[in-house]
Amino acid sequence: MTSEVVAAAPVPVPGRARRVREIAEELRGLRGALIPILHAVQEEFGYVDQPDVAVIADVLNLAVAEVHGVVTFYKDFRRKAAGRTTVAICQAEACRSVGAVELAEHAKRTVGCGFGETTYDGRLTLEEIYCFGNCALGPAVQVAGKLHGRVTATRLNALLGEAR
Amino acid sequence: MTVRVFVPRDSAACSVGADEVAERIAAAGGAEVVRTGSRGMLWLEPLVEVETAAGRVGYGPVAPEDVDGLIAAGMLSGGGDSLGLVEELPWMKRQQRLTFQRVGVVDPLSTADYVAHGGTRGLLATLAMTPADVVETVVDSGLRGRGGAGFPTGIKWRTVLGADADLKFVCCNADEGDSGTYADRMLIEGDPFTLIEGMTIAAYAVGAAEGYVYLRSEYPDAVATLKDAIERARDEGWLGPDILGSGFGFDLHVRVGAGAYICGEETSMLESLEGKRGMVRAKPPIPALEGLFGRPTVVNNVLSLATVPTILAHGAAEYAAYGTGRSLGTSVFQLGGNVARGGIVETAFGITLGELVNDFGGGTSSGRPIRAVQVGGPLGAYLPVEQFDLPMDYEAFAAAGAMVGHGGIVVFDETVDMAAMARFAFEFCAAESCGKCTPCRVGAVRGVETIDRIVSGTDRTKNLVVLEDLCELMTDGSLCAMGGLTPMPVRSAVRHFGEDFHV
Ligand SMILES: Cc1cc2nc3c(=O)[nH]c(=O)nc-3n(C[C@H](O)[C@H](O)[C@H](O)COP(=O)(O)O)c2cc1C
Ligand code: SF4
Ligand code: FES
């Protein structure tokens, strides 16, 4: 674990357990409710914390280990807050054929952290993604949820600069 | 009357500025801007179309800063420097669009547009038939699963219809994890009612009461569009307890994936829908008999389901008249990667790989010669230009040690390092393996190590033997096609591009 990540570690939210229980209870009636609940918790708090796991397990009447197993199986679920802006760069074959690996290297050098990491100031998190379905307009990069196509190093610099 | 101007809202078009273009046109005044899906000519995006008496005139690619100049030059009356009528462009004219007939043409969320362009005709025909007749129509059409394996859709439905249960499900596999494939996304963003109609027809045919679309989280625009469309379909009585007054009830829900490629595998997808880790189930039992929550379940790809309304509206024979051999109907091919004209090509099966890549695709975008194309996603083979006369046909591809898969074609120019691509195939498998069986979980890691040794010249000859051995073991010993097909890109890379492995 790098010191940058520790520096960006979240401050516990008061009342979080109560809110997580509320979310879980609201969605428990869905078939296969666990993943929708995890998405909803992450949507609200930015990550799924270990104490959340116990609350959700309790509401769904599942073992804590079972919920833990699901949280850790899926790449979408974060265990820590991300930086203020997430930059996700596609690294799948079609984007590779037009320089996505080199673009990612450029991004890592520019922001000073690797994939799955957050910059020391908590400004940016870099992620690798395998395909946004924009494979004819690669390299594809998603910045704060917005997709960009045909991203060059120059264009990426501008996007990184705009991300505050 | 104000002129109607069409600008895509498809996420690929928006990734190169379609939203900004639409805003500029709206701000200039004098036109009604209609947001559509994309026609699939992605190299022309953002593609602006203007309605004229002669038809829709196209402009593209249009940058936001081009808008004012284009309007000054008469764009709003179809004048200025246009591409001409969009329907007449050679790229469009050469296609046979059945599944994608409305994509890029209509406002995806307008139910009136949908009906005006032939929507619900398949469903109305269905509700006038017996379930068994619907199933037999799909069998007769020759439709095979578009998700990769090519299993006959009607036969699958027949099994679910014949199963006795208190509850049955229809699940749409919209995980579309393969690199180079984006047709599922474009259909959902561009014509979501077609998928809803297809799933409703499937439900009627097999007697299912509930449906789920498992849609990947990497496609947020598709998720939003589909959820919106489902609500509108309920309002129209296209979903719900009494569909179009027929007494038949079916409802549909969206579930968003969570970033796991293996959840595209059907049993793994069902586990995920049940709220579990996406671990592959051993078959039998097949999902058609014991699927979601142990109930008989239809699992079909987006394109398989979205093709069904056309088949029911026009009849099995008309659909089966397209295609070649046992690959009947049309397929939606997707050109991506290093290609000059990337996009969606829907044609009958039987078109050759070279026609797609060269005639439609126009070669590479870098201008360098093509070296390889990968067909059918990350588990598909890499093919050299010498094999460009291969017809797109499930059996012909299998005979060549390749696969059509979901119809994605990714182009690479001469700068590609095929040993690096083979290494990546193993790396991807190692990262995405569900972990249930050893050949895949361990084999993929060993594969990366072995390729590293070959490339660095450590016992090269011996390690090439190890590599072949490993590929054989993974092919024969893996529980699912993730481990079972990873050797396909690897072996094809060694076979056709041996020089990159210093063979
Ligand atoms: C590793 C793996 C990934 C898959 N990914 C997808 C996918 O993303 N979408 C899909 O429709 N089928 C995918 N499949 C195929 C499904 O298991 C299944 O065959 C298909 O959804 C059935 O629908 P169809 O008969 O309409 O093609 C995948 C299979 C494997 C082994
Ligand atoms: S082949 Fe891989 S993905 Fe498939 S069941 Fe085995 S471990 Fe899981
Ligand atoms: S391969 Fe990058 S978007 Fe599909």
Side-chain angles (χ1 to χ4, degrees):
Chain A
M1 188 96 355
T2 61
S3 55
E4 287 89 337
V5 175
V6 174
V11 184
V13 181
R16 176 165 176 150
R18 188 165 5 111
R19 180 65 191 129
V20 170
R21 182 171 294 275
E22 226 171 75
I23 293 172
E25 276 170 358
E26 196 185 303
L27 298 176
R28 72 192 290 179
L30 297 178
R31 287 190 195 276
L34 179 52
I35 292 172
I37 290 171
L38 292 171
H39 272 308
V41 168
Q42 174 145 314
E43 169 90 19
E44 186 154 324
F45 293 101
Y47 64 103
V48 180
D49 209 355
Q50 199 57 26
D52 305 342
V53 170
V55 175
I56 296 166
D58 185 49
V59 173
L60 294 183
N61 200 16
L62 292 170
V64 173
E66 213 166 325
V67 178
H68 177 84
V70 171
V71 175
T72 51
F73 182 85
Y74 294 98
K75 288 191 293 286
D76 278 5
F77 301 128
R78 302 177 176 286
R79 312 311 315 278
K80 295 231 175 334
R84 287 193 291 284
T85 304
T86 298
V87 178
I89 306 177
C90 178
Q91 295 289 281
E93 285 87 347
C95 285
R96 276 175 187 245
S97 76
V98 286
V101 174
E102 296 74 14
L103 185 70
E105 290 311 317
H106 170 83
K108 291 175 194 169
R109 273 196 311 274
T110 309
V111 307
C113 74
F115 280 138
E117 294 178 352
T118 299
T119 54
Y120 70 92
D121 55 2
R123 193 167 79 92
L124 291 168
T125 296
L126 221 50
E127 297 284 354
E128 59 185 323
I129 291 282
Y130 291 88
C131 196
F132 287 113
N134 200 21
C135 324
L137 296 174
V141 178
Q142 190 193 50
V143 182
K146 184 172 169 21
L147 187 62
H148 301 270
R150 286 206 177 114
V151 179
T152 57
T154 317
R155 182 90 193 94
L156 187 62
N157 289 345
L159 291 170
L160 293 174
E162 287 159 20
R164 284 292 150 205
Chain B
M1 218 182 95
T2 48
V3 58
R4 292 205 299 167
V5 177
F6 302 89
V7 184
R9 45 172 280 174
D10 178 273
S11 54
C14 293
S15 82
V16 287
D19 281 337
E20 292 79 359
V21 168
E23 276 163 30
R24 289 259 193 145
I25 295 172
E32 181 201 347
V33 178
V34 180
R35 303 301 299 269
T36 60
S38 167
R39 295 269 195 170
M41 294 181 282
L42 292 168
W43 80 99
L44 289 179
E45 293 294 359
L47 173 66
V48 174
E49 296 179 28
V50 177
E51 195 166 58
T52 71
R56 280 155 71 156
V57 175
Y59 300 80
V62 176
E65 55 273 20
D66 297 340
V67 168
D68 294 341
L70 282 166
I71 291 177
M75 178 178 85
L76 296 184
S77 51
D81 196 7
S82 81
L83 301 163
L85 292 174
V86 173
E87 299 281 357
E88 298 297 318
L89 292 174
W91 169 282
M92 291 299 295
K93 269 200 100 143
R94 261 194 83 178
Q95 300 193 35
Q96 290 141 323
R97 290 198 168 191
L98 303 178
T99 310
F100 262 61
Q101 57 184 315
R102 279 178 293 266
V103 178
V105 179
V106 297
D107 170 350
L109 291 169
S110 161
T111 52
D113 250 13
Y114 185 64
V115 174
H117 288 82
T120 68
R121 279 177 58 187
L123 179 59
L124 286 166
T126 296
L127 296 171
M129 292 162 78
T130 65
D133 285 344
V134 178
V135 169
E136 292 320 306
T137 302
V138 176
V139 172
D140 293 343
S141 74
L143 177 68
R144 292 167 70 176
R146 300 290 187 245
F151 187 82
T153 302
I155 306 281
K156 191 183 284 186
W157 290 15
R158 200 189 270 160
T159 308
V160 181
L161 173 64
D164 194 25
D166 58 333
L167 180 64
K168 298 179 188 177
F169 295 104
V170 174
C171 292
C172 171
N173 189 340
D175 200 50
E176 195 166 58
D178 288 356
S179 166
T181 65
Y182 47 86
D184 294 353
R185 178 189 63 68
M186 284 189 55
L187 185 108
I188 291 173
E189 290 185 19
D191 190 15
F193 294 125
T194 299
L195 175 60
I196 295 170
E197 186 178 344
M199 289 185 75
T200 309
I201 293 170
Y204 179 83
V206 304
E210 258 181 64
Y212 290 87
V213 181
Y214 190 85
L215 186 42
R216 67 199 319 252
S217 62
E218 291 85 346
Y219 289 177
D221 296 335
V223 172
T225 305
L226 186 59
K227 284 185 172 169
D228 194 341
I230 287 174
E231 273 180 37
R232 289 170 196 244
R234 280 194 197 115
D235 291 345
E236 295 286 336
W238 299 347
L239 287 173
D242 180 22
I243 291 171
L244 295 174
S246 65
F248 169 66
F250 174 68
D251 209 357
L252 192 54
H253 310 276
V254 177
R255 284 287 187 277
V256 179
Y261 177 78
I262 192 58
C263 289
E265 196 281 335
E266 58 184 0
T267 61
S268 178
M269 181 190 86
L270 294 172
E271 291 286 304
S272 188
L273 278 170
E274 291 181 11
K276 301 175 189 152
R277 299 158 61 104
M279 305 275 283
V280 174
R281 295 178 188 167
K283 287 190 270 193
I286 53 170
L289 295 174
E290 286 181 41
L292 190 63
F293 298 103
R295 304 306 208 298
T297 303
V298 168
V299 178
N300 272 135
N301 173 254
V302 174
L303 298 183
S304 317
L305 290 161
T307 300
V308 164
T310 300
I311 292 170
L312 269 298
H314 298 281
E318 195 170 311
Y319 189 74
Y322 294 94
T324 173
R326 289 174 47 217
S327 303
L328 298 182
T330 60
S331 189
V332 182
F333 302 107
Q334 301 130 80
L335 293 171
N338 195 333
V339 64
R341 297 194 294 264
I344 291 283
V345 180
E346 182 176 354
T347 67
F349 283 101
I351 186 173
T352 67
L353 182 56
E355 285 175 284
L356 286 169
V357 173
N358 289 323
D359 300 357
F360 281 96
T364 63
S365 55
S366 62
R368 295 170 181 272
I370 297 176
R371 176 133 188 262
V373 297
Q374 186 179 31
V375 184
L379 309 176
Y382 286 101
L383 299 170
V385 287
E386 289 73 35
Q387 287 191 304
F388 273 16
D389 54 357
L390 255 184
M392 302 305 294
D393 165 325
Y394 292 109
E395 279 67 39
F397 262 65
M403 67 172 190
V404 174
H406 189 43
I409 300 171
V410 176
V411 180
F412 294 84
D413 74 10
E414 60 184 7
T415 60
V416 67
D417 174 352
M418 292 306 298
M421 296 315 294
R423 184 186 194 277
F424 175 68
F426 278 131
E427 224 184 333
F428 184 73
C429 180
E432 300 293 340
S433 167
C434 86
K436 190 149 179 168
C437 67
T438 319
C440 168
R441 187 184 62 237
V442 179
V445 178
R446 290 277 284 123
V448 173
E449 293 167 4
T450 310
I451 288 186
D452 284 345
R453 289 194 191 116
I454 291 167
V455 172
S456 69
T458 315
D459 293 333
R460 183 168 289 145
T461 320
K462 263 197 209 156
N463 276 307
L464 278 161
V465 176
V466 172
L467 183 71
E468 180 45 34
D469 222 42
L470 194 61
C471 285
E472 197 179 313
L473 177 86
M474 287 178 70
T475 306
D476 298 342
S478 298
L479 181 58
C480 87
M482 176 86 209
L485 287 177
T486 295
M488 190 180 273
V490 175
R491 278 173 153 160
S492 60
V494 177
R495 182 180 341 143
H496 300 300
F497 308 94
E499 60 275 22
D500 289 13
F501 299 81
H502 312 284
V503 178

